[in-house]
Amino acid sequence: MPTWEILVSNEHDTQALVRLRSLQGLYLLCEADGSLCYGRPRTSHHGCFLLRFHRNGKWTLQCIISGRYLESDGEDVFCNSRVLSAYHMWTPRPALHVHVILYSPVNHCYARADPGVGRVWVDAPVPCLKECGFLLHFQDGCYHLETSTHSFLSHLDRLVSQPSTQTAFHMQVRPGGLVALSDGEGGMLYPQGTRLLLGLGSSPHRGEEWFILQRCPTWVSLRSKAHKFLSVIYDVELCAASEHLTQMSLFQFECDKDSPNLQLRSANGCYLAQRRHKRVMADGQPLESDTFFRMHWNCGKIFLQSPNGRFLGIVANGLLMANATVPGPNEEFGVLLANRPFIALRGRYGYVGTSSECDLMQCNMDQPDCIHLLPCRQGIYHFQAQGGSFWSITSFGTFRPWGKFALNFCIELQGSNLLTVLAPNGFYMRSDRSGTLLADSEDITKECIWEF
């Protein structure tokens, strides 16, 4: 299924003037005879479509030059007819990873599941908790929202244990990641009451029904060799003094996959930055050069090198300093995924999951299987399948999801939402064009990079 980026040049309530650009940077172009091709626009209107948003969540795309509508016969796509019909209706499907967060621009907060009371609230100012993450399942034209504890949001405003017609929502999509969810019978999902309970209603105000759909961010904790968590104290100081994990011990992992430089943002909204006298403080701004640290992985643990070339480490009083020219045990940090009790992996050919047609783990699935992470030691996890059994590995480097014994998998983060997995056989796990998941790569290649 091709993926298109919607480029908007003009937008109103029910329509927008757009171009469709592929991942390869080419545009969808409609020619005079109604045929379609990929290429570069030759004029200001070449490749422009009038995108109309319909109440049932469908889209229509009308070529600006010819007035013909985009349609498909199931195999080919073309623009022939100027008379609108059901054949011209398209169902947009967000192409981002299925592990998402929902941000309310009206309330400036994120949705948060509360499994204790079986509700979802829109009250989290920072999405650093696992309860802010949801799996977005697409089935039979509808969407199901699954929480981190594997419950589903229902039309009754409560969490239920199994997906059904009562957990199926219709999604309206707008360019820019805006989505609205409805029950298909006039009810819209939006925050209600003083506590901002997420529930169905018929009278949202000021666009309360619209959420920004985003990838679930990566929040981590950093632990020293003395098993103390690095935490922000007194607003901006950094200290590794506590064995207890708090929200001030969580840091958002921000990294470009094409660069080894890393930024760590604390829950107070500021970034770690090197300051005078080699001190590291949590008071940096987004583009400040002193907030970029070079990361070096070592079997699931990480060294952080400051802009002046020195390595970050914990000194005797527990403070974080950029002292060492050569990293040692005091400069080594264990990294734990803080808001991910499970991961859903997507590679070059699709998601990692199981198929009824094969007993081996596949890497070309349309929907993922959740891989539950059981922390073993810093950077090392056991992979547990959804049924409670463990991942096992064969002598051929393939995987099965029903092992009896827990094996060690080493996770190393390669970007904000990217990772590599070093399998128990000492090779990196990779996707294969055949669709079979393999662990046979000595080096990190493009097939070894997983979106999660």
Side-chain angles (χ1 to χ4, degrees), residues 99-373:
H99 202 171
V100 300
I101 54 176
L102 293 166
Y103 176 71
S104 169
V106 172
N107 297 288
H108 305 290
C109 282
Y110 296 86
R112 175 186 62 88
D114 188 346
V117 298
R119 303 275 189 162
V120 175
W121 314 98
V122 186
D123 63 356
V126 181
C128 59
L129 303 175
K130 64 181 181 181
E131 289 82 8
C132 294
F134 296 86
L135 287 174
L136 192 64
H137 297 283
F138 182 75
Q139 185 177 2
D140 299 328
C142 291
Y143 290 87
H144 302 259
L145 275 177
E146 182 181 358
T147 71
S148 61
T149 55
H150 304 298
S151 297
F152 294 84
L153 181 62
S154 73
H155 297 176
L156 302 176
D157 308 341
R158 291 187 175 275
L159 298 177
V160 296
S161 59
Q162 296 293 330
S164 68
T165 56
Q166 287 296 300
T167 67
F169 292 91
H170 298 268
M171 180 183 287
Q172 296 183 37
V173 181
R174 296 289 187 272
L178 281 173
V179 300
L181 296 166
S182 69
D183 63 357
E185 299 177 356
M188 301 297 298
L189 203 61
Y190 61 94
Q192 301 176 44
T194 56
R195 292 196 60 190
L196 300 177
L197 170 69
L198 186 61
L200 284 173
S202 57
S203 55
H205 301 289
R206 300 179 295 115
E208 288 177 313
E209 73 274 24
W210 291 102
F211 291 86
I212 298 177
L213 194 67
Q214 301 172 334
R215 290 192 310 181
C216 186
T218 302
W219 287 79
V220 301
S221 63
L222 300 173
R223 196 155 57 171
S224 70
K225 72 165 187 175
H227 303 289
K228 308 287 186 182
F229 287 104
L230 184 66
S231 304
V232 178
I233 60 174
Y234 306 123
D235 294 330
V236 296
E237 288 195 358
L238 289 157
C239 183
S242 175
E243 295 181 358
H244 300 288
L245 187 65
T246 69
Q247 189 162 316
M248 298 312 293
S249 309
L250 305 182
F251 302 91
Q252 187 173 348
F253 193 98
E254 298 183 11
C255 175
D256 187 337
K257 67 181 178 64
D258 297 320
S259 168
N261 292 330
L262 163 70
Q263 285 182 299
L264 292 169
R265 182 165 58 174
S266 67
N268 67 8
C270 294
Y271 290 84
L272 271 61
Q274 184 187 335
R275 296 306 185 208
R276 295 178 59 189
H277 308 299
K278 303 177 184 177
R279 288 284 298 275
V280 179
M281 309 287 283
D283 61 356
Q285 299 304 308
L287 298 178
E288 195 176 348
S289 61
D290 290 335
T291 64
F292 290 89
F293 299 90
R294 184 175 289 267
M295 58 180 179
H296 305 269
W297 285 100
N298 180 30
C299 298
K301 298 180 181 179
I302 196 170
F303 296 110
L304 297 174
Q305 191 174 18
S306 68
N308 69 0
R310 294 181 180 268
F311 290 87
L312 274 58
I314 305 299
V315 297
N317 60 2
L319 294 178
L320 184 65
M321 304 282 286
N323 268 340
T325 55
V326 178
N330 290 330
E331 287 72 44
E332 194 172 53
F333 293 93
V335 179
L336 183 69
L337 292 169
N339 66 330
R340 304 295 185 105
F342 59 82
I343 53 176
L345 297 180
R346 181 165 69 173
R348 297 192 73 183
Y349 309 109
Y351 287 100
V352 171
T354 51
S355 168
S356 58
E357 301 173 358
C358 182
D359 64 345
L360 299 175
M361 296 297 297
Q362 301 295 293
C363 60
N364 60 352
M365 307 299 293
D366 185 54
Q367 295 284 333
D369 284 3
C370 288
I371 306 168
H372 289 267
L373 300 177

